[in-house]
């Protein structure tokens, strides 16, 4: 179990590294999934440590992980949808940090209802 | 919780009413969406008012054990005085936003279902359900799910009517929020591993100031700070809040960012009360002070109205973090004074910011743009909206009579009583800077129209009145007596009794 | 060194190696394919951690459906704008920071956790008999912490609404297209005719057996979704329009049924999401049946994305 504990920590570190350094948002999303799965593995270790009363692992953290996996997928789906829309609009998915944000804010409110 | 509590199903209703309403809306679609909104908004307001009345009348927390399974195995919901107040403010602002947004997101009769109305109304209800779940939740993982609900409702709201840059802002918001959720989740698993429970009340009894609880608390706080857009993790907020449609910006700035802040306070004051020492409190408030100063200065430099208001949100959120040194690691009666002041700041900012975004939206509709330099003459064309903006600005500046004034006065009082006079300086400086950017806008609005002024589009008078009423809400909060509120003390964990144990 | 320990060591090493490949891959497509392999190996790790329900969920949703989603995105976006690699200084700084974070978390997990470990297994197992279920994880999901599951279903529906909302106004309510417009390969069509019946049987079995053995609505629903997606990718059928009332009903039936059961519990059993005496297991299976269908529909729609064509008149 210590093996998987170290594995979980390393996965979290790897995922975080990928999230920070890779410029493409799609790769960031993949790295975020690795980071998330590392966190869930940590839950799994806590569950395994809680083996008692005839079960191999505490069922509560396991249920939390199942919920977490579904939520993580939903998050990935939303991020990918935004990404694909961004790509369709301008053919480039990089998040420019110097973009002139909010230039469309006025136009949106002026659109006739 | 040391005081008594009573069972009530109202907290569950507060979550389930908007949640099932949202599902129904998606099912029926089309014109029925607005009918459903017309029924659900008042119903939700009634539930929030009922909770408020029940907590105030009985003077103690409302508890609900879901499914009959007690924590630590099951999940409990708790509505204390603070939750009741938050729920009522949330309900009022969401109803006002619904009234404001009605004409803008309406489904014309006989035409096929349109995207923006369906999406707007369902997201509004989802945000409401999520906020209610956040304020009555008493289980750390349940709160995680509530936070995700809030994020998934807020991000599409940002992207609802925007173009490419707003989509980019929405994606950046989502990435920040997801990173925050992951950090929060790591803290949660560490706390469960160390203490065997995720229930806040049980944790308050079991948590000891040891390294693992410090690590968990720090990770969770960092995650929640990213969602609250506290300096230095505030970069996502201005383009996102400015790019959303006006009613969306109102709800986002007034309520959504406050949800994660509420959890930070729950964490440090209720789940791990012994942990808030001097260093942590000063650090959090220090970041808040930086947010106040930086946000206000950046607001002054903006050329577009909605961006100015968004940067103002970054600044005003900073005031909230003064709760930690002034009400946290502090002694009575200053602690209660600061507690009341901090939450009053949250409520009055909610009303003021909602009114500001509504007014800005109407101005932008009329002029066709929101460039501050060219606002000349708008005061004559839209006097009600300008008045709403000005009244809201008074609350942000802290000018009496307004909720903002009472809040800042109480915080000033508490900081002087504690001898932490440096926070008083920050509060006063923040008020001056807020005055500067509000007066810039109002001044430009009062100026005569330029020579090349374009004709203005008509704007619904009813919507202007809604904006004004919300701004008056911020002013009315100023009629609250200048003393610690009893309501907000209901259910508040007595730190010193715990420490003496 | 026992064989179990050796296996664990090899598995962990392989998982980390493939994760590193995923992060360091040069092209988006290879990164996604490595990610799918990573997910499948990770489910093996879950089996080693005595969590078969999680292993099934990770394989079906974490690797399977997420992989399909990312594959589609990588195929569309590709590396058309690969962008410059970040400066070496940033990579080193990030590497250092992440190493510190990883070591800190490893140290916390290995050193700071208390012994004996606090656990909720005893109370969970003690009450298991009253729920009529045999699988404690299902009991946690649908009985003890049912509010989490209900809210999470709402989160799924909300994510679907968010994805659908990104369709342009003129195609709102239209049909989503999965994959490129080129005709599918014969092999794919063959698989799409062969697999779905088998997959549906497996999915139904998975849902049914979840009450007493590893499995449940999430795993069954994910397999159903994958079968549907294979059929869609092979162009054997088209996704219904997003405004189609049948599709909306399918997506919403599960959470609404679950909420209705919750409210019924309030009327009949004294608490929201409680179950009347003796009726727990049938009600849970009913709820899971609805949820399996809804999860299948929602997951498939999330992968298919927002509408791209106007609805048929």
């Amino acid at each position: 179990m210590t093996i998987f504990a170290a594995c979980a920590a390393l996965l979290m570190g790897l995922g975080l590294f990928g999230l920070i350094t890779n410029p493409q948002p799609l790769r960031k999303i993949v790295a975020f999934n690795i980071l998330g799965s590392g966190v869930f593995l940590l839950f799994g270790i806590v569950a395994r440590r809680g083996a008692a009363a005839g079960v191999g692992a505490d069922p509560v953290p396991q249920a939390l992980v199942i919920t977490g996996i579904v939520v993580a997928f939903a998050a990935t789906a939303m991020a990918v949808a935004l990404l694909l829309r961004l790509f369709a609009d301008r053919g480039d998915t990089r998040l420019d940090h110097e973009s002139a944000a909010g230039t469309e804010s006025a136009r949106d409110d002026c659109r006739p209802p | 919780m040391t005081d008594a509590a009573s069972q009530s199903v109202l907290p569950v209703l507060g979550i389930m009413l908007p949640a099932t309403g949202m599902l129904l809306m998606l099912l029926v679609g089309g014109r029925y969406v607005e009918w459903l909104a017309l029924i659900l908004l008042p119903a939700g307001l009634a539930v929030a008012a009922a909770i408020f009345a029940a907590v105030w009348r009985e003077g103690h927390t409302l508890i609900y054990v879901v499914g009959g399974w007690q924590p630590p195995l099951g999940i409990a919901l708790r509505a204390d005085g603070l939750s009741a107040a938050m729920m009522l403010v949330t309900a009022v602002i969401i109803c006002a936003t619904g009234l404001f947004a009605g004409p803008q997101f309406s489904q014309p009769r006989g035409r096929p279902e349109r995207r923006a109305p369906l999406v707007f109304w369902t997201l509004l209800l989802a945000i409401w359900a999520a906020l209610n779940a956040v304020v009555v939740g008493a289980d750390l993982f349940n709160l995680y799910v509530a936070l995700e609900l809030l994020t998934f409702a807020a991000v599409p709201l940002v992207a609802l009517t925007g173009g490419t840059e707003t989509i980019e802002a929405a994606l950046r918001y989502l990435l920040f929020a997801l990173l925050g959720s992951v950090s929060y989740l790591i803290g949660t698993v560490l706390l469960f591993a160390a203490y065997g429970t995720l229930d806040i009340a049980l944790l308050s009894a079991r948590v000891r100031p040891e390294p693992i609880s410090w690590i968990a608390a720090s990770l969770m706080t960092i995650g929640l700070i990213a969602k609250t857009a506290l300096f230095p993790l505030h970069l996502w907020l201005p383009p996102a809040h400015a790019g959303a449609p006006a009613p969306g910006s109102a709800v986002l700035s007034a309520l959504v960012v406050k949800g994660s802040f509420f959890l930070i306070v729950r964490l440090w004051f209720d789940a791990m009360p012994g942990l808030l020492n001097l260093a942590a409190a000063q650090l959090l408030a220090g970041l808040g002070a930086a947010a106040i100063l930086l946000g206000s200065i950046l607001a002054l430099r903006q050329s577009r109205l909605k961006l100015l208001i968004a940067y103002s949100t970054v600044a005003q959120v900073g005031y909230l973090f003064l709760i930690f040194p002034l009400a946290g690691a502090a002694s009575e009666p200053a602690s209660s004074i600061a507690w009341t002041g901090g939450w009053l700041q949250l409520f009055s900012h909610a009303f003021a910011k909602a009114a500001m975004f509504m007014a800005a939206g109407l101005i932008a509709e009329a002029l066709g743009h929101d460039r501050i330099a060219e606002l000349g003459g708008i005061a004559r064309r839209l006097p009600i909206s300008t008045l709403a903006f000005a009244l809201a600005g008074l609350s942000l500046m802290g000018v009496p009579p307004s909720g903002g004034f009472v809040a800042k006065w109480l915080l000033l009082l508490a900081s002087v009583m504690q001898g932490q006079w440096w926070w008083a300086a920050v509060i006063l400086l923040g008020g001056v800077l807020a005055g500067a950017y509000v007066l810039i806008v109002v001044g430009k609005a009062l100026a005569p129209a330029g020579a090349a002024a374009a004709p203005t589009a008509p704007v619904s008078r009813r919507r202007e009145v809604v904006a004004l009423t919300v701004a008056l809400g911020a002013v009315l909060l100023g009629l609250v007596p200048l003393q610690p509120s009893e309501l907000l003390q209901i259910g508040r964990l007595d730190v010193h009794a715990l420490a003496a144990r | 060194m026992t064989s179990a320990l050796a296996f664990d060591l090899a598995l962990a090493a392989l998982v980390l190696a493939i994760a590193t490949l995923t992060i360091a891959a040069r092209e988006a497509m290879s990164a996604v394919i490595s990610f799918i392999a990573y997910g499948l190996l990770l489910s093996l790790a879950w089996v080693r951690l005595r969590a078969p329900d999680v292993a099934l969920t990770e394989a079906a949703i974490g690797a399977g459906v997420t992989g399909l989603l990312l594959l589609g995105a990588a195929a569309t976006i590709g590396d058309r704008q690969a962008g410059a690699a970040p400066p070496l200084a940033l990579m080193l700084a990030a590497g250092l920071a992440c190493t510190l974070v990883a070591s800190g978390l490893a140290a916390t997990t290995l050193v700071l956790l208390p012994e004996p470990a606090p656990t909720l297994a005893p109370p969970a197992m003690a009450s298991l008999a009253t729920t009529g279920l045999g699988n404690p994880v299902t009991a946690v999901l649908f009985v003890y912490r049912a509010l989490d599951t209900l809210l999470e279903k709402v989160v799924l529906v909300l994510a679907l609404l968010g994805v659908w909302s990104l369709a342009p106004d003129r195609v709102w309510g239209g049909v989503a297209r999965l994959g490129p417009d080129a005709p599918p390969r014969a092999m794919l069509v063959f698989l799409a005719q062969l697999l779905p019946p088998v997959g549906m049987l497996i999915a139904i079995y998975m849902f049914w057996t979840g009450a007493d053995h590893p499995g449940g609505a999430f795993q069954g629903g994910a397999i159903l979704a994958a079968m549907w997606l294979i059929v869609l990718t092979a162009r054997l059928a088209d996704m219904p329009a997003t405004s189609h009332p049948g599709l909306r009903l399918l997506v919403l039936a599960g959470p609404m049924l679950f909420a209705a059961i919750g409210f019924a519990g309030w009327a009949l059993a004294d608490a929201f999401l409680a179950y009347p005496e003796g009726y727990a297991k049938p009600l849970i299976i009913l709820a899971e049946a609805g949820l399996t269908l809804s999860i299948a529909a929602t997951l498939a729609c999330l992968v298919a994305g927002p509408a791209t064509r106007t609805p048929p008149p």
Side-chain angles (χ1 to χ4, degrees), chain C residues 46-303:
Chain C
W46 281 107
V47 173
R48 287 296 300 147
L49 284 174
R50 310 277 189 91
D53 302 78
V54 184
L56 284 168
T57 314
E58 170 68 37
I61 301 184
V65 189
T66 312
L68 276 173
L69 179 69
L70 293 170
L71 265 180
T76 311
I77 299 180
D79 299 288
R80 228 128 326 149
Q81 21 74 48
L88 191 61
L90 176 65
M91 302 266 282
L92 285 176
L96 189 63
C98 295
T99 315
L100 281 173
V101 167
S103 346
L105 287 169
T108 311
T109 320
L110 293 171
V111 172
L112 289 178
L113 294 186
E115 289 286 351
T119 174
L120 287 175
M125 298 303 290
S127 306
L128 198 57
T130 58
T131 66
L133 296 170
N135 183 357
V137 177
T138 307
V140 177
L141 280 174
F142 285 97
V143 182
Y144 308 140
R145 298 186 64 106
L147 185 63
D148 273 350
T149 311
L150 181 57
L151 284 181
E152 171 220 349
K153 296 303 307 113
V154 179
V155 167
L156 253 191
V157 170
L158 196 58
L160 183 59
L161 179 68
V163 167
W164 278 352
S165 77
L166 290 172
D169 277 321
R170 53 186 170 76
V171 295
W172 169 253
V175 181
R177 207 96 218 278
L178 190 63
D181 276 323
R185 300 189 181 193
M187 188 64 195
L188 184 57
V189 178
F190 174 68
L191 272 178
Q193 287 163 327
L194 187 65
L195 281 179
V198 179
M200 279 174 63
L201 276 176
I202 296 180
I204 295 176
Y205 172 74
M206 192 78 73
F207 134 71
W208 182 257
T209 192
D212 296 319
H213 304 290
F218 293 101
Q219 295 84 346
I223 296 179
L224 265 182
M227 293 300 113
W228 192 353
L229 287 168
I230 292 180
V231 168
L232 284 177
T233 323
R235 302 271 181 263
L236 288 179
D238 248 344
M239 177 71 90
T242 54
S243 58
H244 192 290
L247 182 64
R248 298 253 178 118
L249 187 61
L250 207 57
V251 165
L252 292 163
M256 297 199 72
L257 183 60
F258 198 17
I261 292 178
F263 281 114
W266 179 28
L268 301 172
D270 247 6
F272 182 71
L273 284 174
Y275 299 100
E277 192 74 40
Y279 284 96
K281 187 164 180 181
L283 280 175
I284 292 174
I285 295 194
L286 181 64
E288 282 203 273
L291 285 175
T292 307
L293 289 173
S294 286
I295 290 173
T298 315
L299 292 181
C301 288
L302 278 170
V303 175

Side-chain angles (χ1 to χ4, degrees), chain A:
Chain A
M1 208 176 20
T2 45
I3 300 174
F4 288 122
C7 183
L10 284 169
L11 282 174
M12 285 192 260
L14 264 175
L16 190 62
F17 181 76
L19 192 53
I20 297 176
T21 55
N22 207 307
Q24 293 178 48
L26 184 60
R27 304 293 298 270
K28 285 190 201 282
I29 294 172
V30 174
F32 162 75
N33 272 292
I34 294 184
L35 173 59
S37 59
V39 178
F40 297 143
L41 207 55
L42 194 54
F43 271 91
I45 292 167
V46 172
R48 183 74 181 89
R49 280 164 47 94
V55 268
D58 188 349
V60 173
Q62 292 182 53
L64 301 184
V65 171
I66 293 179
T67 305
I69 291 178
V70 175
V71 171
F73 170 73
T76 305
M78 191 178 279
V80 165
L82 281 168
L83 200 58
L84 286 174
R85 170 73 189 270
L86 206 58
F87 183 72
D89 279 355
R90 72 173 188 211
D92 182 337
T93 57
R94 272 169 307 177
L95 299 174
D96 293 320
H97 292 283
E98 317 85 40
S99 70
T103 45
E104 292 146 346
S105 55
R107 265 190 271 132
D108 309 333
D109 289 314
C110 308
R111 209 164 288 171

Side-chain angles (χ1 to χ4, degrees), chain B residues 77 141 266 268 276 335 362 415 455 462 490:
Chain B
L77 300 174
F141 190 79
R266 271 275 188 260
W268 288 98
L276 188 63
S335 174
L362 291 169
S415 59
R462 190 186 95 178
I490 296 175

